[in-house]
Amino acid sequence: MTFHVLIPDNVDQAALDVLSKSDALRVTAPGNMKRDETLAAIGDADAIIIRSGTTADAELIQAGSKLKVIARAGVGVDNVDLDAATAHGVVVMNTPGGNTISTAEFTFGLMLALARNIPQGDASLRNGAWDRKAFGGVELKGKTLGIVGLGRIGREVAKRAIAFEMTVIGFDPYVEASALASLGIEKVSLDDLYGRADFITLHSLVTDETRHMINAASIAKMKKGVRIINAARGALINDADLAQGIKDGHVAGAALDVYEFEPPPQDHPLVGLKNVIDTPHLAASTSDAQINVGVEAAQLVVDALTSGTYQNVCNPAVLDKVAKPAG
Ligand code: MLT
């Protein structure tokens, strides 16, 4: 029996190499498929491997009449309709560890760039200026970093901040204070974090509780001069409220890698705003991370299709419906 694996987004060659080792798999991976091309091709696919470029919504999942597996080469499955997948007996799996370091390093890069106005200085010099006064910054040493969400990435950011001699406080309702204390992080309430942090970095999932958690009310609780970094998900921020906080001078700046709708529209209130650094969802875009997540996603697909073993399942309720393949 041959299974067809469709890969609409670009993945690293190392992922294709893993798949090509299995005689049981046939792979279609033209790269960068458009939505209508993916919709046309998915009817023949047993599995798809996606990054954030493909939205596996109910329409796409329903069109995949043979579809058994969706493997997300990355962490977030907010581009997958998990309920629709479960209803159609499709197992969704992700690769949560592969881009942790890249994302943590990028977050730290954003924090340094924000503290020292590095992109603005570069842009100014490119425009012919030699302005050493306009881009004064602050040191990280001695400042307090508030980390919202202490999963893998938040913890790696904390390690780096401690190495920079920052005080690290964190909010995460799912992690014990003792576990954080052993990492050098003081567990605090969200209000306490808002009141004490000089820098706030977001590493939470988007849920009903966290959607637009950075808004006028939470900004009002923050220290004047706070700087905010988001390399997690755009929907954590109410864009208009943050833009207002920056214009009012209450928030000294923000560095954003993610947007509620990507790409952000031209008139997005935070794109191009003074004291805001914007990057196009680059945190996991290193060759290292893409090899890690691509290889891991490919192996998940091989194991699922050829031996009926499933790891990192994001919709565990589906497992009751999934029959182990014979042999
Ligand atoms: C993730 O969810 O893994 C990151 O945001 C990177 C990506 O979307 O590919």
Side-chain angles (χ1 to χ4, degrees):
M1 184 169 190
T2 304
F3 297 105
H4 180 204
V5 182
L6 178 68
I7 310 182
D9 297 324
N10 292 337
V11 295
D12 194 89
Q13 179 60 40
L16 304 179
D17 294 344
V18 170
L19 297 168
S20 70
K21 287 196 189 117
S22 171
D23 294 338
L25 304 182
R26 175 169 63 87
V27 179
T28 302
N32 264 340
M33 286 176 78
K34 296 198 173 67
R35 168 86 182 174
D36 54 343
E37 295 168 336
T38 307
L39 268 172
I42 200 162
D44 184 42
D46 296 281
I48 54 171
I49 298 178
I50 59 171
R51 293 181 54 199
S52 49
T54 297
T55 301
D57 55 13
E59 182 190 31
L60 193 81
I61 291 167
Q62 196 161 9
S65 48
K66 291 165 54 184
L67 196 63
K68 300 164 186 61
V69 170
I70 298 173
R72 166 74 163 98
V75 186
V77 285
D78 41 355
N79 56 334
V80 180
D81 186 330
L82 293 178
D83 292 338
T86 304
H88 286 84
V90 177
V91 182
V92 181
M93 297 176 286
N94 71 347
T95 58
N99 57 27
T100 300
I101 298 300
S102 290
T103 305
E105 288 182 357
F106 192 83
T107 300
F108 218 81
L110 288 179
M111 184 155 61
L112 286 165
L114 191 55
R116 303 302 303 275
N117 297 307
I118 295 169
Q120 293 91 332
D122 174 75
S124 160
L125 187 57
R126 281 168 196 262
N127 283 333
W130 181 256
D131 192 344
R132 298 185 62 212
K133 289 206 178 114
F135 305 113
V138 293
E139 290 183 351
L140 298 188
K141 179 178 174 180
K143 303 298 186 303
T144 297
L145 173 64
I147 304 180
V148 180
L150 272 306
R152 289 180 176 83
I153 297 167
R155 290 173 192 217
E156 290 297 333
V157 171
K159 269 191 211 168
R160 285 151 183 78
I162 290 165
F164 270 67
E165 301 181 55
M166 299 183 84
T167 298
V168 181
I169 59 177
F171 170 76
D172 191 323
Y174 305 105
V175 185
E176 293 293 331
S178 56
L180 294 184
S182 68
L183 300 170
I185 306 165
E186 180 190 347
K187 180 170 172 162
V188 295
S189 70
L190 202 46
D191 280 356
D192 199 11
L193 184 146
Y194 290 147
R196 288 172 57 191
D198 301 295
F199 291 82
I200 294 175
T201 182
L202 306 176
H203 298 286
S204 298
L205 295 174
V206 178
T207 64
D208 289 345
E209 286 82 44
T210 63
R211 184 179 302 278
H212 290 188
M213 64 184 293
I214 303 300
N215 55 36
S218 57
I219 289 169
K221 295 176 186 167
M222 294 176 195
K223 272 170 98 163
K224 184 167 162 51
V226 65
R227 291 174 169 84
I228 298 173
I229 301 125
N230 187 13
R233 284 294 180 264
L236 296 171
I237 291 179
N238 178 317
D239 299 327
D241 287 2
L242 178 55
Q244 194 57 50
I246 291 169
K247 285 180 196 156
D248 292 346
H250 191 79
V251 178
L256 310 171
D257 188 45
V258 287
Y259 309 87
E260 187 157 8
F261 303 101
E262 297 185 355
Q266 286 295 313
D267 61 352
H268 190 287
L270 291 160
V271 175
L273 188 66
K274 191 165 179 278
N275 298 333
V276 179
I277 297 168
D278 296 292
T279 50
H281 203 148
L282 294 179
S285 294
T286 60
S287 50
D288 312 86
Q290 290 313 312
I291 291 171
N292 292 343
V293 297
V295 166
E296 213 183 314
Q299 195 59 52
L300 289 172
V301 166
V302 172
D303 293 345
L305 292 180
T306 64
S307 65
T309 44
Y310 304 98
Q311 286 182 61
N312 306 343
V313 177
C314 304
N315 56 339
V318 79
L319 293 177
D320 294 337
K321 296 187 176 183
V322 177
K324 200 172 159 90

